[in-house]
Amino acid sequence: MLDSATLNTVTRNAWSLSFGSGVDEAERTPATVLHDEPHRQLRRYGPVADRPVLLVPPLAAPASCYDHRPGQSLVAHLIANGRTPYVVDYGTMSYADRALGFEHWIDDIVPDAILRVSEQHDGSPVDVIGWSLGGTLSLLTCAAHPELPIRAIAAVGTPIDYRRIPAIAPLRAIGKITGDRPLTAATRILGGLPAPLVQLTYRASALQRELTKPWFIARNLHDTETLARMDAIDQFMAEMPGYPGRFFDQVCRQLILRNALNTGRVRFGSHTIELADISAPVLAVGGTTDVIAPIAAVERITSVATGTTVRFESAPGSHFGLLAGPEARETTWAHIEEFFQSATR
């Protein structure tokens, strides 16, 4: 039988999940907007200190991925370690953005953010952290623009060899016969992959979690912290924006079907980028239970980024858990801090 305190907790949590705004409202680290244009808002967290770090999000994920919740915020961790974190926020995507592709990020948005961060620190080189496709953008930007003041890059959950991702094997098999049209026909009409579809796809990648969620809630109604972590994940997925049409087409054609990153060479429009041209030291971190970017898909960077030193580490966690899970502080974040301390350029 439950005591009165536990019963009150169970009742409060059940009400919050069913009728309230959730168990735990998001608490974001205070930030200062330094530059604000469409798809490139630049924010600084905390006061200006030494060692600037630019956080590069993937598309179709909110920039809050780096500032998830208390105790699971890479932003707060970086500040506590004497670094100055910045984030470039792309905002939402609409039909009007359908022509935006990889080139807009690699040749414009990400380089612009790096230069602005460097200027805030009297021209000092910038460390870069990219999660998922944010890591892809970071690596390709460095390869395409060796003149940029990038000191080191940490790519977290960033797949290189897409053949090693079992979840997309059926798409690759169909694509060998039909090309990219079955994957991209609808997005060309819609101008991209709408946010609701992105959110549905992410939930589908964690199908067991979704199916067992009611039982999980029932078993943990007395545990506010456990429910708060679950609730924060749900809120994170609900904030996921969509993909621009051209960008999604390029993901399907170049990364999924042609597996171009695995060859070390990728072409966007008239621009060919060689991963061997990456000159900044690279850390790649793969998650042991990541089904979106399995370890074998991530580790391939050690073979294709041949122009620099590349370090690979594994850490426990799913795709997002690798970046912001309860164990990230002792694993992924520790690897990043150690790497940045040892990296030289």
Side-chain angles (χ1 to χ4, degrees):
M1 185 174 180
L2 300 178
D3 58 44
S4 59
T6 303
L7 182 59
N8 286 337
T9 299
V10 169
T11 302
R12 183 178 62 251
N13 288 339
W15 177 271
S16 298
L17 288 172
S18 302
F19 306 106
S21 58
V23 174
D24 187 28
E25 292 187 11
E27 294 182 27
R28 302 299 185 206
T29 304
T32 301
V33 176
L34 302 177
H35 181 72
D36 196 3
E37 290 185 24
H39 308 315
R40 61 177 72 212
Q41 184 188 81
L42 182 66
R43 299 194 298 270
R44 184 189 70 237
Y45 296 96
V48 176
D50 294 332
R51 303 184 294 178
V53 180
L54 177 65
L55 305 170
V56 179
L59 275 79
S64 62
C65 60
Y66 296 113
D67 189 31
H68 185 51
R69 62 185 299 267
Q72 294 176 254
S73 168
L74 177 56
V75 162
H77 176 78
L78 291 169
I79 293 173
N81 280 274
R83 300 188 181 275
T84 308
Y86 299 76
V87 68
V88 54
D89 191 338
Y90 318 134
T92 58
M93 299 292 164
S94 68
Y95 184 78
D97 303 310
R98 61 191 180 280
L100 297 180
F102 268 88
E103 306 95 315
H104 294 84
W105 274 264
I106 295 168
D107 295 328
D108 185 10
I109 294 173
V110 178
D112 181 68
I114 291 170
L115 291 173
R116 289 182 185 276
V117 170
S118 179
E119 288 172 3
Q120 292 286 314
H121 295 261
D122 300 321
S124 296
V126 178
D127 289 326
V128 178
I129 300 175
W131 169 58
S132 192
L133 276 175
T136 307
L137 295 174
S138 302
L139 294 169
L140 291 175
T141 297
C142 185
H145 300 283
E147 75 283 359
L148 287 172
I150 300 174
R151 195 179 73 95
I153 299 173
V156 180
T158 298
I160 300 297
D161 186 354
Y162 279 67
R163 294 175 306 176
R164 303 288 187 171
I165 307 176
I168 63 170
L171 299 179
R172 286 178 48 81
I174 293 172
K176 288 181 179 180
I177 301 172
T178 64
D180 64 280
R181 288 187 178 181
L183 301 180
T184 60
T187 58
R188 288 172 184 167
I189 296 172
L190 297 172
L193 193 64
L197 287 180
V198 172
Q199 296 160 15
L200 181 62
T201 301
Y202 196 87
R203 289 183 183 278
S205 71
L207 186 58
Q208 183 177 0
R209 174 187 184 273
E210 296 300 309
L211 292 176
T212 60
K213 185 177 175 180
W215 174 239
F216 179 86
I217 292 173
R219 286 190 298 112
N220 291 282
L221 275 174
H222 66 287
D223 188 340
T224 302
E225 174 60 22
T226 296
L227 291 180
R229 290 199 297 265
M230 178 208 73
D231 201 26
I233 291 290
D234 289 341
Q235 293 177 32
F236 170 76
M237 289 191 288
E239 295 173 358
M240 287 181 167
Y243 281 107
R246 177 174 172 78
F247 190 97
F248 184 75
D249 286 358
Q250 291 171 323
V251 168
C252 292
R253 290 198 309 270
Q254 296 288 354
L255 306 191
I256 295 177
L257 297 184
R258 297 178 185 174
N259 202 24
L261 290 175
N262 187 59
T263 70
R265 174 183 298 173
V266 61
R267 185 178 181 86
F268 299 115
S270 60
H271 195 176
T272 299
I273 301 174
E274 303 271 357
L275 292 179
D277 290 336
I278 297 172
S279 55
V282 173
L283 167 69
V285 184
T288 55
T289 55
D290 190 344
V291 298
I292 294 177
I295 282 179
V298 174
E299 191 173 12
R300 175 63 177 166
I301 186 65
T302 60
S303 299
V304 294
T306 55
T308 188
T309 57
V310 183
R311 171 179 162 186
F312 175 79
E313 298 284 354
S314 64
S318 62
H319 195 55
F320 186 53
L322 179 67
L323 176 72
E327 297 178 320
R329 180 186 302 276
E330 288 75 32
T331 56
T332 302
W333 301 354
H335 291 317
I336 291 173
E337 182 61 31
E338 181 186 352
F339 169 68
F340 282 164
Q341 287 181 358
S342 62
T344 58
R345 180 129 188 238

